[in-house]
Amino acid sequence: MNNYTTILRQHNLKATPQRLAIADILYVQGHINIESLYAVMLKKFNSISLATIYKNINIMVENSFIQEVKIPHAKSVYELKKEEHSHLVCNECGEVQDVTIDLDTKIDEMAQANNFILSSSNLVLAGICKNCH
Amino acid sequence: MNNYTTILRQHNLKATPQRLAIADILYVQGHINIESLYAVMLKKFNSISLATIYKNINIMVENSFIQEVKIPHAKSVYELKKEEHSHLVCNECGEVQDVTIDLDTKIDEMAQANNFILSSSNLVLAGICKNCH
DNA sequence: CTGACTGCAAACGTTTTGCACGGTA
DNA sequence: TACCGTGCAAAACGTTTGCAGTCAG
């Protein structure tokens, strides 16, 4: 019983081959959009339905097992949930990269100044990645 | 000839009543999603089409007259283009608020460390606004 | 007056739903 | 075995397109 099986069960989700494959693909690829995920899944399950992809993505998001990342001028991608981090998005190749960057002090100050109770911080930086210049 | 008329013409866009109304609504409301914008526009133009809303929003975004803001777990909102700033989004009431917060130093450092050429930075902070607690 | 814009209806792509069957626990 | 999950087909949804008529410049 591998890692993802355990985590899925902890969320009262059955560890089906399809779900384990999604987890595995996200682990390997880091970030992927629905369309590409479907394409990759089709290689492993020749008759998988897009509906299954959507149902699983949705339920896994609801259970905080994975997370949606909304990207300016592009389709959302999904990633395994982990510690808070930011994203670099390349406008050339579309590649999404995780980065950690500590902005807490300034953000907390600002939240306090606005009497705002912070629960999450989403930073997406767009530009050109090192492979595209 | 008012302000928005001038700006629209600078982008080779005709200053139609519908476009001026959109600009005015964005100015007054700050941020609005398509659905609400359509509802407000219907009050001013009783037979306006959703297609017109979409066409105008799209062309105004392409011309950098307005900007889309993607929000976690919610519909995108649109705002008039202005200097770079961040957004506070209330998970209770949905209100979106502009804030300026200078994170450039840290972000630039990080971009440089990753050999990434930065072109835009999008920060959305979610939580509970001052009116909701 | 002319090209750009509007409103309508139809088309389109994406996401969700309902249902019968199949598989996990 | 009981229920949850899958796959399929249809439906729903948001957005885009084509077209004929209208309006801004």
Side-chain angles (χ1 to χ4, degrees), chain B residues 9 14-17 34 50-51 54-55 58:
Chain B
R9 296 222 185 121
K14 292 198 171 177
T16 64
I34 296 285
L50 242 188
Y54 278 109
K55 285 172 189 165
N58 288 340

Side-chain angles (χ1 to χ4, degrees), chain A residues 88 90-93 97 127-133, chain B residues 111-118:
Chain A
L88 294 181
C90 180
N91 291 329
E92 285 294 323
C93 65
Q97 184 188 344
I128 312 288
C129 79
K130 60 170 172 292
N131 299 320
C132 292
H133 70 262
Chain B
Q112 203 151 3
N114 287 276
N115 196 8
F116 190 89
I117 302 174
L118 212 57

Side-chain angles (χ1 to χ4, degrees), chain B residues 70-88:
Chain B
K70 290 196 176 187
I71 297 177
H73 311 117
K75 294 175 185 166
S76 289
V77 295
Y78 295 85
E79 64 182 4
L80 292 173
K81 178 99 170 188
K82 47 202 155 195
E83 330 74 66
E84 198 163 275
H85 60 279
S86 302
H87 293 100
L88 295 181

Side-chain angles (χ1 to χ4, degrees), chain A residues 83-109:
Chain A
E83 331 73 65
E84 198 161 276
H85 60 279
S86 302
H87 293 101
L88 294 181
V89 180
C90 180
N91 291 329
E92 285 294 323
C93 65
E95 170 86 2
V96 179
Q97 184 188 344
D98 288 350
V99 285
T100 59
I101 168 173
D102 181 18
L103 305 170
D104 292 356
T105 310
K106 288 230 171 183
I107 289 178
D108 288 348
E109 269 174 36

Side-chain angles (χ1 to χ4, degrees), chain A residues 9 14-15 50-51 54-55 58 75:
Chain A
R9 297 225 183 118
K14 292 195 174 178
L50 242 188
Y54 278 108
K55 284 171 189 166
N58 288 340
K75 292 176 187 168

Side-chain angles (χ1 to χ4, degrees), chain A residues 8-56:
Chain A
L8 284 166
R9 297 225 183 118
Q10 283 166 0
H11 291 294
N12 296 310
L13 300 177
K14 292 195 174 178
T16 65
Q18 291 87 339
R19 285 176 184 166
L20 292 171
I22 291 176
D24 193 53
I25 291 165
L26 290 181
Y27 178 74
V28 173
Q29 310 254 117
H31 309 85
I32 198 168
N33 65 32
I34 296 284
E35 189 184 1
S36 306
L37 176 60
Y38 181 48
V40 176
M41 289 290 281
L42 269 178
K43 292 180 193 158
K44 307 196 182 195
F45 305 88
N46 55 33
S47 69
I48 194 173
S49 162
L50 242 188
T52 300
I53 304 279
Y54 278 108
K55 284 171 189 166
N56 282 330

